[in-house]
Amino acid sequence: MTSALADRRPEPTLERLLADLVPPPRFADARLATYEPDPAHPSQAEAKERISAFAAQIGGEKKGGLLDRLGLGGKRRAEAARGIYLDGGFGVGKTHLLTSLFHAVPGKRVYGTFVEYTNLVGALGFQKALDQLAQSQLVCIDEFELDDPGDTLLMTRLIRELSDQGVAVAATSNTLPEALGEGRFAAQDFLREIQSMAERFEVMRIDGEDYRRRDGAVNIRALPQAAVSAHARTGSGATLDSFDELLAHLARVHPSRYGAMIDDVTCAHLTGVRRVDSHNDALRLVVLVDRLYDRKVPVPVSAADGGDVLEHLYSEDLLGSGYRKKYYRSLSRLASLATDGAALVEDGGDPS
């Protein structure tokens, strides 16, 4: 019998949360040598060169012990580390470059998305999470974004304290540091905290087109529901969910557990996919799509209206909101996964 994501209620351990702070499978083999800058956008080649130099700088530094980093070892406290911040639209290769940096730096380093770090702090408490992360040479933060005042205070403080202890921090985002939070809450009330964090970074703007959708299309290819359901029954590791039931389930599972929820899933089939009008539903869906994309899980979909293209996954109000960049990234990624899923179904491939 085909299982459903909606039947899964994972409870990952603390050890699992820490072990997951590595590049996702999609980028496990990403290296600077395999990053191919678009000649039409020189900033991509410049970013590649700067990342290489930054990696060499980190690799050449020798950090003291914990007492030294805390300023308790009889020596002066380490100078604040300079970080690097890659800003640009989705699909221009920021994650590839960040992952390449991770692989180019020797010693202990950690890698996670913004939400994974906030979840870690929530699970461990601030000081314990800081102590764990401060043992690293490098902390990589992908998809840096601030959605609420609590996250603003949490992450700006975490970055300042890591930097003060000599830990190099590298981040990617599609929003400049000084503009984080705009359109979502009263960012001006937290301007001092945001600016103090931004001062720790060298900002590099990366221009270019979304490599997943060079034609600019973000429509999601849909299949007949019968074909999606039938394919879900052809291999182990496949799941089958109705879209509404999945959205309801995501509301009951903390986003920090979405990664564990898709453990061993080889193909995630969705039926009845329709427009999402609620920010709460949409933001949870964004996290799930990110985890599916990270793990290269194909997603065959059928549309609620029976059409062969899902033109409007997120409502116009959502796409015009302060979260629009998250939603457009999600559209790009889900369109790619749905294309992979459609090819699998039409070729009669085994989901496993």
Side-chain angles (χ1 to χ4, degrees):
M1 180 177 179
T2 305
S3 65
L5 294 177
D7 295 331
R8 299 184 172 204
R9 297 292 295 267
E11 296 185 4
T13 64
L14 172 58
E15 290 73 18
R16 166 67 187 269
L17 291 176
L18 292 171
D20 280 349
L21 292 179
V22 294
R26 178 174 291 275
F27 296 98
D29 297 325
R31 299 294 188 274
L32 285 171
T34 61
Y35 180 77
E36 299 181 1
D38 185 343
H41 300 281
S43 60
Q44 294 186 13
E46 294 169 4
K48 179 178 179 178
E49 292 178 5
R50 185 65 191 93
I51 286 291
S52 179
F54 190 69
Q57 176 187 340
I58 298 172
E61 294 175 351
K62 300 296 183 181
K63 291 182 60 177
L66 179 60
L67 292 180
D68 288 339
R69 296 201 303 275
L70 294 176
L72 302 175
K75 301 178 181 179
R76 72 177 177 86
R77 188 172 182 166
E79 294 183 2
R82 182 100 175 140
I84 194 164
Y85 188 103
L86 302 177
D87 169 68
F90 50 86
V92 298
K94 301 187 305 295
T95 298
H96 187 132
L97 288 171
L98 186 67
T99 308
S100 298
L101 173 63
F102 176 93
H103 289 301
V105 172
K108 183 173 175 58
R109 60 267 195 262
V110 293
Y111 180 107
T113 62
F114 177 86
V115 70
E116 286 174 317
Y117 287 110
T118 57
N119 290 335
L120 181 68
V121 174
L124 297 183
F126 183 86
Q127 190 58 51
K128 190 171 181 180
L130 175 63
D131 291 343
Q132 289 283 340
L133 297 175
Q135 298 174 32
S136 304
Q137 287 268 84
L138 170 68
V139 171
C140 296
I141 307 173
D142 199 16
E143 300 164 14
F144 199 109
E145 193 56 271
L146 301 178
D147 296 336
D148 59 57
D151 284 347
T152 300
L153 295 173
L154 176 70
M155 292 303 290
T156 54
R157 179 187 171 196
L158 183 66
I159 286 174
R160 286 198 311 269
E161 297 206 19
L162 286 171
S163 180
D164 285 345
Q165 295 188 33
V167 179
V169 179
T172 71
S173 181
N174 50 33
T175 305
L176 291 170
E178 62 270 19
L180 288 166
E182 284 185 356
R184 296 187 270 307
F185 59 88
Q188 64 272 16
D189 294 340
F190 300 89
L191 191 59
R192 179 181 302 174
E193 286 79 8
I194 292 172
Q195 288 178 336
S196 69
M197 179 197 70
E199 291 171 355
R200 309 299 174 105
F201 289 110
E202 172 190 356
V203 178
M204 294 205 67
R205 173 73 188 180
I206 305 178
D207 301 305
E209 300 175 357
D210 180 1
Y211 75 91
R212 290 180 292 267
R213 311 296 295 176
R214 295 296 186 191
D215 58 2
V218 290
N219 291 337
I220 297 168
R221 186 179 177 193
L223 301 168
Q225 179 174 329
V228 173
S229 298
H231 187 260
R233 294 190 290 268
T234 63
S236 61
T239 59
L240 176 63
D241 291 86
S242 76
F243 192 61
D244 285 334
E245 289 179 356
L246 180 60
L247 290 181
H249 182 62
L250 294 181
R252 297 188 291 267
V253 178
H254 193 276
S256 65
R257 301 179 179 183
Y258 290 2
M261 189 168 69
I262 62 172
D263 279 351
D264 304 320
V265 173
T266 57
C267 192
H269 301 71
L270 292 178
T271 60
V273 180
R274 44 86 178 167
R275 188 182 68 186
V276 178
D277 299 299
S278 160
H279 276 301
N280 289 332
D281 285 340
L283 290 172
R284 286 188 285 262
L285 182 61
V286 166
V287 177
L288 178 63
V289 169
D290 283 344
R291 300 291 79 78
L292 290 166
Y293 182 80
D294 285 345
R295 300 189 186 192
K296 300 189 288 188
V297 178
V299 183
V301 305
S302 70
D305 62 5
D308 57 3
V309 172
L310 185 67
E311 296 184 0
H312 305 290
L313 178 62
Y314 301 114
S315 69
E316 290 185 7
D317 285 345
L318 297 188
L319 292 179
S321 72
Y323 298 107
R324 60 187 175 277
K325 292 181 180 179
K326 282 180 177 285
Y327 297 146
Y328 277 113
R329 183 187 75 231
S330 175
L331 282 172
S332 171
R333 290 183 166 184
L334 186 55
S336 176
L337 296 177
T339 297
D340 293 342
L344 196 63
V345 170
E346 291 169 348
D347 291 345
D350 187 333
S352 60

